[in-house]
Structures are given as structure tokens and as C-alpha cells.
């Protein structure tokens, strides 16, 4: 189809010339023809993308060379980048997210996140994670396949889009040399690894933009008001997950980069196991304390760690960012479970271990404020007491140990009484 369009354009140009137009008229018509031909070519690529799952794009050799030099690594195989229609990208991103978490994984997380308070009743986790990755996007890296995708919005000649291409193929290079483990390591470890990889790739992108800014004095970065408004409308938890790799992750990767390539490569070989390492890079890496929650009535649907990042985002709901950062920095380990509770509902039990009894005492006060707000209680919550919300949910905060706090949101009073 593309070849036919090109041949048709040439024949049309010859036809105009045969009509005896002057040089100026021929030049104008040829310019229009070339513009129309380019437009038809882009439309053809989009149609082929929809029909075949994305046409493969030729990655410039200079881009490959630049990325290999940045990391001191060679591509094991040529980087694969596809072009895809923006509408089709959403389905592909959603499928990758579901594949990453396994059967029912995204639905279980959605329910657990709502009971913990990270999401509201009307929030849709999969849709929100998908839309924040695709709205206005010119490219996306698939951590499942190790391939990248650019949309029909991508412009080869635009400096910001060239920078985005470098970011994408950086992710491919790192994926080839430092692939994810076969078994899913858990949410906190996965977020830490993603922050390192995305942060390192974002550093390559930023350095390319800085070099071109010095050379050409550009730049208009095409602020997209619609995208900014969409992002602002998302729950703070989704915002926090989204910005973590590009802010804290990039900061962590940049700090390794300035120390020399081997420092970054060493971190990539043995990626951080917790978001604590990304948030507090100066501290010695620790293995999160393993917390066992025993006596559950049934096998949990989901058992996960929120990590220091998840704890910080939960505490920020109380409104004091400073206190949230201070208390979450005392994180040692945590575990939450989503379990059946009642005939057709579930409960969440979340246990958080802190580094001192003093930190647990402060944390306890904030947690009690949060469950009072969640239950819309007229009186302040007290340690060990059960609050019942208007919709029948049971909330409690208790001390499992001097350094450990338990948070409970259950459908039945029986569950809350047993584990408080």
C-alpha cells in the first residue's frame, strides 16, 4: 500500500509536468504532493499497526551507539521498537499490567487498595494505571516482552521525541542484560527495580536534551494541559506510584552515574530489594523483616508488602507530608493480606514493623486519625477499639508488638475482634 501511494504520487507529478505548468507552479504542487504523501504514509503505518499489532521501526544507528556508550554495554540483539496507534496502545498496556500480576492479581489489588485507603470506592486501578501510562504518550516500554512501542504521535525529527527514543532503547538494553526474575519478586521489590531501570533510562534522555539545549538553544517541551489535568485528577496513590521512578528513581540512578559507570552496573546486577533503598540511598540496604500473619480463617487472596513507599503514601493522607516522610523512614518491614470475610466480602489486615517503639507510638496516633476519618466517626478512635462506618465496615488499630502496628478493615466484627 505504501509503495502504491509513492508510485501514485510520482505519476501525478509527471502528469502535472505534462500539462505545461511553469517551474514555480510545479514546485508548489510537488511540495503539496510530498506533504500529502507523508501524511498518507503515517496513516498507512497506523493502519498496519492496528491490523498487525505494530510495524517495526528502524532504530537509528547513532541512537544505538549513544546508548551503548552511556552504559558501556552492547545490545545482545537489535532493539525492537514498534509503531502503534495510540488507541491500540491502551489495550496493550492494560494486557501487560494484567500479565505482570497474574490471574485476578489486579482485581485483588484494587480491592485491597480500597480497604487500606489508597483508592476510593469509585477508582478503577487497571484503568487508572493504563491511562496514566498512555495519555499523551509517544512511547512505552513493555517490561514483559522487553520491546518498545512508539505511537503515531511520535515525530522522528523532533528533539524531545529523539530523546524519548533513547530512553526506550535504554530500557531495552538494560532489559537484555539485567532481565527481571522469572518469579515475581513482590510489589515493593518490583517497584524498586523499575525505579532503577526507568531512572537510569530517564538520565540518558535528560542528558541528550541538555546537550541539544546547549547546542541549539531550543526548547519548547510541549506542555499538555489535558494530560496535566488528567494526572491531577488521579488518586494521590496513583500519582505517587507514577512519579516514584521518574523522580526518586532518576535521582538514585543519577547519583550512581556520577560515581562512574561501574557503580551503576553493580546496582543493576544486584537491584535494590526495597523502595527504602531508593528513598534513602545513603542507608545500608536491609532485607525487609518477614512478617507472618497466622490464624487466618482461610488462605488469603493476596499477601503483599507495601514497602516504605506505600507506607509513606498512606500516611500522607493525614495531610502532614513531613510527618509522613519521618515515620515512613522508620519502616523495617510490613505485610498486608486480603482474605475472605463474611458471605460475600473481604477484609484487609496490615501489619507494619518500625525501627523503634517511639516511632510506633507516633505512627499509632496518625493511624488512629486515619481510621476515624475513614469511618466518619464523631469521636477520636482509640487503640484496640472497633469503629463501624455507615456502610458497615469495621476499623481498628492495635499494637501487635511494641514496634509493630496493625490496621484492620473488615466486613465483620468477628474478624476485627479476633485480630485486633
Amino acid at each position: 500500500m505504501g509503495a502504491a501511494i509513492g508510485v501514485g504520487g510520482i505519476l501525478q507529478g509527471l502528469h502535472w509536468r505534462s500539462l505545461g505548468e511553469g517551474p514555480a507552479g510545479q514546485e508548489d504542487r510537488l511540495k503539496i504532493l510530498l506533504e500529502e504523501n507523508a501524511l498518507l504514509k503515517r496513516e498507512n503505518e497506523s493502519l498496519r499497526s492496528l491490523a498487525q499489532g505494530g510495524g517495526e521501526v528502524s532504530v537509528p544507528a547513532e541512537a544505538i551507539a549513544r546508548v551503548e556508550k552511556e552504559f558501556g554495554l552492547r545490545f545482545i540483539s537489535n532493539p525492537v521498537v514498534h509503531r502503534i496507534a495510540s488507541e491500540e496502545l491502551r489495550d496493550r498496556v492494560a494486557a501487560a499490567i494484567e500479565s505482570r500480576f497474574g490471574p485476578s492479581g489486579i482485581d485483588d489489588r484494587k480491592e485491597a487498595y480500597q480497604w487500606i485507603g489508597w483508592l476510593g470506592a469509585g477508582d478503577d486501578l487497571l484503568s487508572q494505571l493504563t491511562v496514566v501510562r498512555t495519555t499523551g504518550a509517544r512511547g512505552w516500554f513493555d517490561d514483559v516482552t522487553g520491546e518498545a512501542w512508539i505511537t503515531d504521535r511520535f515525530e522522528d525529527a523532533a528533539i524531545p521525541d529523539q530523546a524519548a527514543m533513547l530512553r526506550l532503547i535504554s530500557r531495552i538494553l538494560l532489559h537484555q542484560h539485567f532481565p527481571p526474575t522469572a518469579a515475581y519478586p513482590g510489589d515493593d521489590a518490583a517497584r524498586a527495580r523499575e525505579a532503577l531501570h526507568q531512572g537510569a533510562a530517564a538520565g540518558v534522555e535528560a542528558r541528550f536534551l541538555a546537550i541539544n539545549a546547549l547546542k541549539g538553544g531550543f526548547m519548547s517541551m510541549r506542555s499538555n494541559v489535558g494530560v496535566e489535568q488528567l494526572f491531577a485528577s488521579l488518586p494521590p496513590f496513583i500519582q505517587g506510584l507514577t512519579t516514584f521512578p521518574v523522580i526518586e528513581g532518576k535521582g538514585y540512578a543519577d547519583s550512581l552515574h556520577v560515581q562512574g559507570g561501574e557503580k551503576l552496573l553493580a546496582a543493576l546486577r544486584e537491584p535494590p530489594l526495597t523502595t527504602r533503598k531508593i528513598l534513602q540511598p545513603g542507608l545500608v540496604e536491609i532485607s525487609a523483616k518477614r512478617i507472618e500473619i497466622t490464624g487466618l480463617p482461610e488462605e488469603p487472596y493476596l499477601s503483599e508488602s507495601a514497602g516504605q513507599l506505600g507506607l509513606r503514601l498512606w500516611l500522607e493522607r493525614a495531610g502532614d507530608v513531613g510527618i509522613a516522610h519521618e515515620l515512613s523512614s522508620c519502616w523495617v518491614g510490613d505485610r498486608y493480606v486480603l482474605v475472605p470475610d463474611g458471605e460475600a466480602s473481604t477484609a484487609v489486615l496490615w501489619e507494619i514493623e518500625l525501627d523503634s517503639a517511639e516511632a510506633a507510638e507516633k505512627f499509632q496516633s496518625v493511624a488512629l486519625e486515619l481510621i476515624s476519618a475513614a469511618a466518619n466517626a464523631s469521636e477520636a478512635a482509640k487503640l484496640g477499639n472497633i469503629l463501624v462506618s455507615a456502610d458497615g465496615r469495621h476499623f481498628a488499630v492495635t499494637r501487635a508488638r511494641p514496634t509493630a502496628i496493625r490496621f484492620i478493615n473488615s466486613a465483620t466484627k468477628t474478624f476485627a475482634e479476633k485480630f485486633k
Side-chain angles (χ1 to χ4, degrees):
M1 181 177 176
I5 291 169
V7 171
I10 293 169
L11 291 175
Q12 182 65 60
L14 293 173
H15 174 66
W16 283 334
R17 179 173 293 181
S18 71
L19 294 178
E21 289 185 338
Q26 291 177 12
E27 184 177 339
D28 289 342
R29 286 191 177 274
L30 183 59
K31 182 179 180 181
I32 293 170
L33 173 64
L34 291 172
E35 290 175 350
E36 290 179 348
N37 199 32
L39 176 61
L40 288 169
K41 183 179 178 182
R42 287 197 297 272
E43 290 176 350
N44 176 44
E45 288 173 346
S46 295
L47 288 170
R48 185 174 61 166
S49 166
L50 287 170
Q52 300 179 359
E56 193 170 323
V57 176
S58 177
V59 180
E62 58 269 24
I64 292 175
R66 177 182 288 273
V67 167
E68 289 182 334
K69 184 178 180 181
E70 281 272 2
F71 293 103
L73 299 169
R74 300 296 297 272
F75 281 96
I76 297 172
S77 59
N78 289 334
V80 177
V81 179
H82 303 275
R83 188 181 295 273
I84 192 170
S86 299
E87 299 79 8
E88 182 76 4
L89 181 62
R90 292 192 179 188
D91 293 337
R92 190 169 292 276
V93 170
I97 293 171
E98 289 186 299
S99 172
R100 186 181 193 187
F101 291 133
S104 79
I106 195 72
D107 294 329
D108 291 341
R109 282 168 175 78
K110 173 185 173 182
E111 191 163 2
Y113 292 178
Q114 288 175 342
W115 294 151
I116 288 172
W118 287 316
L119 298 181
D123 290 320
D124 186 318
L125 180 61
L126 179 59
S127 295
Q128 289 169 336
L129 290 177
T130 301
V131 76
V132 78
R133 286 163 171 77
T134 57
T135 300
R138 284 170 167 75
W140 169 72
F141 173 72
D142 186 350
D143 197 33
V144 175
T145 65
E147 299 179 352
W149 301 79
I150 58 173
T151 70
D152 43 18
R153 297 167 56 91
F154 190 93
E155 299 175 12
D156 295 340
I159 295 296
D161 290 14
Q162 291 174 13
M165 175 65 80
L166 291 175
R167 170 172 47 81
L168 293 172
I169 64 172
S170 292
R171 292 299 307 271
I172 295 173
L173 178 67
L174 297 182
H175 186 93
Q176 288 182 1
H177 285 271
F178 314 104
T181 57
Y184 184 66
D187 288 355
D188 194 48
R191 288 167 186 164
R193 177 188 175 276
E194 171 72 10
L196 174 58
H197 281 236
Q198 190 169 333
V204 175
E205 177 182 32
R207 288 188 287 276
F208 177 80
L209 289 172
I211 290 169
N212 280 273
L214 290 172
K215 286 180 178 177
F218 86 96
M219 105 153 83
S220 169
M221 288 302 291
R222 296 181 295 194
S223 177
N224 190 320
V225 175
V227 173
E228 292 170 1
Q229 290 176 341
L230 169 68
F231 184 77
S233 71
L234 293 170
F237 178 70
I238 300 295
Q239 294 180 21
L241 292 184
T242 303
T243 58
F244 176 64
V246 296
I247 297 178
E248 286 90 351
K250 181 177 179 297
Y252 178 65
D254 284 349
S255 69
L256 296 171
H257 174 79
V258 298
Q259 297 177 58
E262 187 52 42
K263 283 283 187 180
L264 179 56
L265 291 177
L268 289 161
R269 291 187 197 101
E270 296 185 22
L273 301 175
T274 65
T275 53
R276 173 185 183 269
K277 182 61 176 176
I278 304 293
L279 293 167
Q280 298 178 276
L283 298 182
V284 176
E285 174 77 301
I286 62 169
S287 295
K289 181 172 181 178
R290 184 165 182 81
I291 295 174
E292 301 288 349
I293 299 175
T294 60
L296 295 172
E298 295 185 50
E299 189 71 19
Y301 295 131
L302 178 67
S303 177
E304 266 295 348
S305 167
Q308 183 174 329
L309 175 64
L311 181 60
R312 189 190 77 184
L313 295 173
W314 190 70
L315 291 168
E316 284 179 357
R317 296 168 55 243
D320 192 324
V321 173
I323 291 294
H325 284 232
E326 175 191 341
L327 293 177
S328 62
S329 68
C330 300
W331 174 93
V332 174
D334 77 284
R335 176 65 44 183
Y336 68 84
V337 291
L338 176 73
V339 295
D341 181 33
E343 293 183 1
S345 191
T346 55
V348 155
L349 189 158
W350 185 18
E351 188 168 309
I352 304 105
E353 184 84 24
L354 302 172
D355 62 9
S356 68
E358 292 75 17
E361 189 74 27
K362 292 181 182 178
F363 177 85
Q364 171 187 306
S365 298
V366 179
L368 289 170
E369 290 179 21
L370 287 170
I371 69 164
S372 292
N376 198 23
S378 56
E379 297 181 2
K382 295 181 180 179
L383 190 68
N385 286 3
I386 297 173
L387 297 180
V388 184
S389 64
D391 60 353
R393 299 297 302 183
H394 297 73
F395 295 86
V397 168
T398 187
R399 293 283 280 273
R401 293 177 297 284
T403 56
I405 300 294
R406 272 189 176 182
F407 163 83
I408 298 167
N409 179 347
S410 64
T412 66
K413 184 177 181 181
T414 303
F415 185 95
E417 288 280 4
K418 179 177 179 179
F419 291 99
K420 72 175 185 176

